[in-house]
Amino acid sequence: MTSSGLSRRKLLQLSGISTLGALAGCASPLPGTDDGGGRAVTPRPTVTADPDTSVSLTATSGTIRPASDTSTTTWLYDGQYPGPELRVQEGDVLSVELANDLQEETTIHWHGIPVANPVDGVPNVTQEPVASGDTFTYKFRAEPAGTYFYHSHVGLQLDRGLLGPLIVEERDPHVEYDREYVVVLDDYLSREPRLPSDGGMGGGGMGGMMGDVRPPYEGLLINGKLPENPPTFDVTEGDRVRFRFVNASSATVFGVRIAGHEMSVTHADGQPVEPVGADSFVFGAGERYDVVVEATNPGRWFVQANALDGNEPPARAVVEYESTDGSITPQPPSSSSNRLQYGDLRARSSLDGVSGDPDRTFDLTLSRGRNQSYTWTIDGQAYPDADPLQIRPGEHVRIRMTNQSPVVHPMHLHGHFFQVGNAIKDTVIVPGHRGQVTLDFHADNPGRWLFHCHNLYHLDAGMARVVEYVE
Ligand code: C2O
Ligand code: CU
């Protein structure tokens, strides 16, 4: 199945990003930043302090049951799906011992947290993958506060069940709320994930030269449940309820609504924004939004998340007021009239080191590979056969992306937050059909960091680069 022009229009509207003139181009050469590159940065120290929280996670096979008549044996953390929620206080030292009980090697990546490079979990870039039967300890300071998730970063393992939420609680939240729920969205594959070139996408071939195909998902999940078996979020009238939405899917852009309630969007990719009202938002794989809802409309209401580029029935959960008869049919959302756009997001604090002109700019074209095989490229190169993007410590780096394919690419940078418009994020959708997005970041975390599309199939088919610090 290919993505439609309609979803392109929706996404352009979402992001408010222009489709003007596609600039192909190369990175500026590394020498020649005589003034700009000189700001000192202190590398994140490897954490030596005793951990405040120590947990172990075992990657192992297990069975999930997303609905009463459906089950699949797949790969999980601690046999749970989603994996165990890790929850710590901002600034705490978290130590996680990964035990690999799979027959394959694996790693864990802490999506969104700017950890020190050696614990970032990218195989063959920041660590040797953890062999079957081995263990590896990840230790890092959990900051800044936010809604994150952790997942395997090896091959297509994320599209099994190797993922879980990671919540870093703020000491002093900028919004008040009485209770909260973590809402993990996922697409449900009940068989081994494979690339289309390996016969993984069912009957549809590879989607033509330019387009894409979607893995043969059986459905869409909220907190591991199919819509016929929706989880319930209990609320009391008068509560302010915080929902932490995580798009942990491998290939799904979700549009999210809560029936009967206006959302106040309070955090984007975990980082606080000035609260902004919306009745829906769209997010790509790897993005997160926190919203606060005032429970002032008793009843039973669906939280609903539909795939923008898929035709599976929407994922659902039920918001249920304590005062309401639990047998009445939940109400679905009406159509959206006020969808969140990136331009609505205003970060509460600014990112250091990204004001004024950049010291270095990369113009990158995102596209489908030109040959018969299933590849996705950044500037014509498919990772791992791809040049690193070299930067110097302290630089203000700008990446301008132009998407020459018809499908959306949610691009994620490891190890750093970036500024996009007035938001601070770590993952950003680049719309199809010459959509353009510019992001700026401060090179303040030396190491080798992956920059990639968070559509797992695009990543696995080459849509990645290493951002490499050089002295
Ligand atoms: Cu959540 Cu490199 O990814
Ligand atoms: Cu992509």
Side-chain angles (χ1 to χ4, degrees), residues 8-20 341-343 401-402 420-421 428-438:
R8 172 217 165 197
R9 198 164 63 239
K10 285 187 202 155
L11 285 158
L12 289 173
Q13 185 194 10
L14 160 83
S15 57
I17 286 159
S18 86
T19 57
L20 294 176
Q341 307 194 14
Y342 283 149
M401 295 167 283
T402 303
V420 55
V428 64
I429 284 180
V430 186
H433 301 278
R434 301 207 172 83
Q436 293 190 310
V437 171
T438 297

Side-chain angles (χ1 to χ4, degrees), residues 109 111-112 122 149 151 153 158 286 412 414 450 452 454 459:
H109 170 59
H111 182 113
V122 180
F149 70 120
H151 61 81
H153 216 295
L158 169 61
H412 172 52
H414 286 216
L450 212 59
H452 65 88
H454 219 281
L459 164 61

Side-chain angles (χ1 to χ4, degrees), residues 35-36 39 350-361 394-400 419 421 438-442:
D35 57 337
R39 292 181 293 262
S350 57
L351 202 58
D352 286 339
V354 295
S355 57
D357 291 333
D359 301 309
R360 186 178 305 284
T361 300
E395 287 181 335
H396 165 190
V397 181
R398 174 167 292 169
I399 298 180
R400 293 194 292 226
Q419 179 150 345
T438 297
L439 62 84
D440 288 80
F441 69 96
H442 184 213

Side-chain angles (χ1 to χ4, degrees), residues 71 103 120 134 175 187 196 217 222 228 258 297 339 347 353 356 364 376 384 406 423 442:
S71 68
Q103 297 305 309
D120 194 48
D134 275 4
V175 285
D187 33 31
Y217 290 124
I222 288 182
E228 57 264 40
I258 302 177
N297 197 3
R339 167 181 292 159
L364 302 177
W376 285 95
H442 184 213

